[in-house]
Amino acid sequence: MVYRPLLIAFGVLVLAPLLGGLLTGFDRWLSARLQARVGPPLWQPFADLVKLWHKDRLTVNVVQILYANAYLLFVAAALAELALGHDLLMLLFTLAFGTISLVLGGFSVRSPYSRFGAQREIMQLLAYEPILVLMVVAIYLRTGSFLVSRVVVFPRPLLPSLPLIFLGYLLVVVIKLRKSPFDLATSLHHPHQELVKGILTDYSGPYLGIIELAHWYELVLLLGLAGLFWATSVWAAAGVALLVYLAAITVDNVSARVTWAWMLRFAWQAGLGLAAINVVWLYLWGAGMP
Amino acid sequence: MVILLLVAIPLAAGLFTLIGGAWTRYVAVGGAVLSLLSGAALVLAHGRLALDAATLLGGFRPGPLFGILDALLLAYIGLTGWRLRHLLLTLLALVQLAGILYLEGVPRPEAGRFVVDGLSAVMVLVVSVVGSLVALFSLPYMREYERHAQGTAGPRRFFAVLLAFLGLMNGLVLADDLHWVYFFWEATTLASFLLISHPQSGDAVPNAAYALTVNSLGGVAFVGALVLLAGRGEASLEQLAATPPAPGILVPLGLLLFAAFIKAAQFPFQRWLTAAMVAPTPVSALLHSSTMVKAAVYLVLRLAPAFRGTPLALAAAVYGAFSFFAGSATAIGQANGKKVLAYSTIANLGLIIACAGVGTTGALAAAILLVLFHAATKALLFLCVGTIEHGIGTRNIEEMEGVMWKMPVTTVLTVLAMLAMVVPPFGMLIGKWLAIESSVRTPLVLAFVVFGSAFTLVFWSKWIGRILTVSYHRKFRWERLPVLLRLPKLLLLLAVFSGSIGVAPLYNRLVRPVIVDQFDARGFVRTGGGGLTTGFGDFLPWPIFLVILGVLLLLLVMVGRLEPEDARPPYLCGENADQKPGTSFHTARDEVEIAETGNFYLESVFGEGMVRQWADPLALAILLLMVGFLR
Amino acid sequence: MSIVRWARGKSPWYFHYETGSCNGCAIEVFALQTPLYDLERFGIMNTGNPKHADLLLVTGCVGYRSGRVLRNLYHQMPGPKAVVAIGVCALTGGIFHDCYNLAPGADKVIPVDVYVPGCAPWPEAMIDGILLAAEKLRGAPVARDRRRLVEEEEPPAGGAGEEGKA
């Protein structure tokens, strides 16, 4: 029984890239269809990853590699924490460590493009981190626990009592997945891109592949967190997660990029505002919620 | 024995350095370090101890002695104010002197003893260990400092005050008699003044006088509390803390808290601490981050049981959380490295005060963990920044680029210490985690803490990013530094790391006794699985340490495969020039220029003046609200 | 290692550098992204950054300054990589062939693998050229010391490559 958590963690960490890759492929296919294009096949992200992995290892400095690895492993660790049912707050901190690694990777080279990307990534962190913490607090107020293992056995779905938090979380997902209108630090799989490639400008070959893999983990993690909002059944959770993903893809395809200041203002006014109202509800009428 | 080792010998060592040359300093520091460390070990080995001073001194009651010392101290402060034409300072000293003389005149109870319990053991550990390491660091550092600086007050006075300060600080956390606490309190303030004014030039003396003036305001509040408490027959800190809230007791408590807020440099009094950054780095590391300002939160934590559950507690919690928020916000706008550290210190002290105000067992545990880890981490950071400043001649963050190449070891240490401030699995984050989970039921506190934490991420990652910028180098050459400049840092880092990995034993050994002392219960925080669990949350540091290990192993494998010809300059639109590869590029006029990028500081939002515009009035408003709660 | 070869052939990301011309070819390159031609159905993506790219698309006549940039960009691309020269200006200098300030063709500056003639070439021709270059990527050695192998095989600047048919 001691090995059970290890087995779970191992299984999730092996399966998550498969799922994440397929979802990314789906995203690119769907986006293409929305733009009246044929689009790439579903397995396209896997071809990209294998190709990147077998390119020359060019680097600007040695610490870059450190940060790419740290980003991957910390995001994966956060996912493992989710799978093992640990503390949500600790999960957020671990995820933040991953993001900070990425930021430091952007800072570590003397290219203005990565530097600006890194600065904007920090602003993104500033924009969504309070919303995420408030979400965790709201989940605690509702279920009485920060532990994922307790939250998933809570007898009633969370979405009816946390509707505004859910909207705030949607905003976080759009920012975190680097979808338009918030693809300002870097953008993924868009022919149009900001600041050359922003924070990823000076990664290449296998190191870019590592970051790509980390994005897949991050995608699965974010959708997993979305699933917590209706964790009473696996199918409902998967449905909510899929809805969140579809919403993010739709927003991506119908909006244009905004500036970081606009993002910060919007995230704090709209996202935080909604989350705060929901938290106040919970303080006032926490017990009597549906 | 404990008192001798922890208080008397450091004081004597301080006096000894006044005798003469460099060798006395080495002997005195060595002796004081040995005595402090053995004293701390003794305190840890013992459980609770109550030491009656009269029996220690063979029947002599030292009460009147402290009155005389107080009077001398205040007279010196008053004269200093006169000499510096700081009449407000003189006035404040005179008011305190009048209070003390009044107290000597009226019959008053005396506790007359030192008490070693969980909380003072924690503080003794911090003071003795961090203090020893900083004192050792100062020996080579100050030699270098004196060589560059002109017209300082001289190393003799510096070391005398530094060592004496350690003794005084230990006295402060061990004394049970409020009157004695006051003496040590004022004495550490004076020590701070003498050490800040050490450079004797530029802003040093005015800034030191400013710090002394602001702190004297706190001293006046302290004397006021003493007078009120003498009237009620209270003299023992321990009894005062144990008394259930009674009508009228809140006023002296509020005054004591006010004194503590000033000493902890909370908003709106924060400027004395940032002004104090003109002092040599060891002073900032010791007095203004890890020990003297911690005396303030020590007092708040000590008194926490007395005001727990009263509106005063809520107000203190909100006030501390607000300082955390405002301090972190101001730190974003600072390019001066030491100022960032100062604001981060203010913020963290605020967080500790907030925890004391929230007052559950979990919050108290968070506060103790924060005291321990903040002292070690921040002292380490100050020492590192001091070394960097000597190495490259600036404390401006923007100019620290490339320091990785010049002093790789120091840079790595600095970065590790900064990471230990913001990311899991290090101790500060364990404290912050516990603080957030404990303050969930106090929404206003929670809101400030959440935003403050986000700001914290911003300013640290900006700074780390700046100093870690490097071009490709095959090998880094380690810089040479004297052993005493390097060893204390390594030991502090080791303390932070081992404390974080072994947070479970640390909690059982140091934190739980405090909770048992204050609550007569074990609290809801438990240790299990190598981490902390609360029943509704858990924090396991060791798996994350394993992840860090994994990152380093992967790095080693990948770097091993690299070859020098794999290095490429950064992308500069293909206009890279050959001079200074990596940063230079051809402009549109075909001239070679260096690409430079600055950090965001958002001074129009987070500049010192901008934040003060709203933070000072708001903090003052919370303080005034607190006055309303005193009835 | 057929999976690596497969992946390389299915995911060539290109970086487009316009060395300075009438922009006719450049406009047609942009057209490749539009729904009508939709390069992404082959897994081909546009990146704005040589460090992420497998293919370098060159349009326009190569001046001596833009040649310097071209060389830098090529140097920053990780191998295996291929270059597609598009339009007569990039092939030979076109009507500017004898200008004093131009190199007569991109292959005088960097090794070119596929030549797509035309003024401007049809997008279909460009797609054909890009897919030819992708074939070339697929054929690159997979072994660990590939870099050394490539250096031996690599034609000197200005050497012959495969001819794209228009």
Side-chain angles (χ1 to χ4, degrees), chain B residues 74-75 110 114 126 141 393 410 424 460 518 578:
Chain B
L74 290 169
E110 262 187 71
F114 291 98
V126 167
Y141 185 90
T410 312
W460 287 121
Q518 290 207 357
D578 293 332

Side-chain angles (χ1 to χ4, degrees), chain A residues 57-62 67 86-87 90 93 97 100 107-108 110 113 115 119 140 146 150 202 272 283, chain B residues 401 429 433 437 440 451 457 468-472 535-538 540 566 568 570-571 573 583 598-599:
Chain A
R57 292 177 286 266
L58 300 189
T59 179
V60 177
N61 55 38
V62 176
Y67 298 129
H86 278 298
D87 196 301
M90 186 177 160
F93 292 151
F97 197 163
I100 286 186
F107 267 121
S108 75
R110 290 198 167 90
Y113 303 103
R115 287 272 182 87
Q119 305 270 13
Y140 167 80
F146 287 99
R150 301 279 179 80
D202 278 295
L272 260 181
Y283 275 118
Chain B
E401 192 174 308
L429 241 281
W433 162 77
E437 299 212 341
V440 165
F451 276 96
L457 279 175
L468 268 188
T469 304
V470 278
S471 302
Y472 178 81
F536 48 83
D538 60 0
L540 306 177
D566 289 332
R568 289 288 184 279
Y571 177 72
C573 300
T583 45
N599 266 338

Side-chain angles (χ1 to χ4, degrees), chain B residues 1-327:
Chain B
M1 186 67 182
V2 171
I3 303 301
L4 183 71
L5 284 175
L6 287 176
V7 184
I9 291 187
L11 277 171
L15 285 178
F16 182 66
T17 52
L18 287 175
I19 296 177
W23 66 273
T24 54
R25 289 198 281 282
Y26 281 85
V27 172
V29 169
V33 165
L34 278 181
S35 127
L36 282 168
L37 292 182
S38 45
L42 212 60
V43 165
L44 282 188
H46 274 86
R48 210 194 117 80
L49 274 178
L51 307 157
D52 195 31
T55 47
L56 284 179
L57 296 172
F60 172 70
R61 298 204 67 84
L65 184 66
F66 276 95
I68 296 165
L69 287 174
D70 276 341
L72 286 176
L73 199 69
L74 290 169
Y76 181 81
I77 293 177
L79 283 177
T80 308
W82 188 255
R83 195 163 51 81
L84 297 174
R85 298 282 174 274
H86 240 282
L87 293 185
L88 182 62
L89 179 56
T90 313
L91 189 70
L92 290 171
L94 284 178
V95 172
Q96 289 182 68
L97 194 59
I100 292 300
L101 290 178
Y102 167 78
L103 280 176
E104 288 304 314
V106 298
R108 64 190 169 88
E110 262 187 71
R113 55 181 195 151
F114 291 98
V115 169
V116 181
D117 63 356
L119 189 56
S120 36
V122 168
M123 291 302 295
V124 164
L125 191 70
V126 167
V127 173
S128 302
V129 174
V130 178
S132 300
L133 293 175
V134 173
L136 287 175
F137 177 88
S138 315
L139 284 170
Y141 185 90
M142 290 314 287
R143 202 172 53 214
E144 182 80 13
Y145 186 92
E146 297 290 334
R147 204 163 29 210
H148 289 303
Q150 269 122 34
T152 65
R156 225 183 269 183
R157 189 181 101 175
F158 180 85
F159 279 96
V161 179
L162 192 74
L163 293 178
F165 165 77
L166 290 175
L168 293 169
M169 191 61 211
N170 273 327
L172 169 57
V173 298
L174 289 172
D176 181 42
D177 192 316
L178 273 165
H179 208 75
W180 302 4
V181 174
Y182 168 73
F183 164 72
F184 288 122
W185 185 270
E186 280 302 295
T188 54
T189 302
L190 182 64
S192 160
F193 166 79
L194 291 173
L195 289 173
I196 298 171
S197 62
H198 175 78
Q200 296 280 319
S201 56
D203 291 338
V205 176
N207 283 2
Y210 178 72
L212 189 59
T213 314
V214 174
N215 274 301
S216 292
L217 191 64
V220 171
F222 207 126
V223 170
L226 283 185
V227 169
L228 287 175
L229 286 171
R232 300 174 58 88
E234 300 269 4
S236 153
L237 199 52
E238 203 177 24
Q239 275 167 24
L240 181 63
T243 327
I249 194 85
L250 284 183
V251 177
L253 277 182
L255 284 173
L256 285 178
L257 283 187
F258 182 71
F261 292 161
I262 289 184
K263 201 159 183 126
Q266 299 296 288
F267 280 73
F269 310 107
Q270 80 283 14
R271 268 192 306 154
W272 80 257
L273 189 68
T274 53
M277 290 297 134
V278 295
T281 301
V283 177
S284 312
L286 187 58
L287 274 74
H288 304 129
S289 73
S290 57
T291 56
M292 190 184 83
V293 288
K294 289 281 185 331
V297 293
Y298 159 78
L299 192 66
V300 179
L301 286 171
R302 173 67 81 191
L303 294 173
F307 59 80
R308 184 167 296 140
T310 64
L312 191 60
L314 182 65
V318 173
Y319 179 70
F322 178 77
S323 257
F324 176 63
F325 170 75

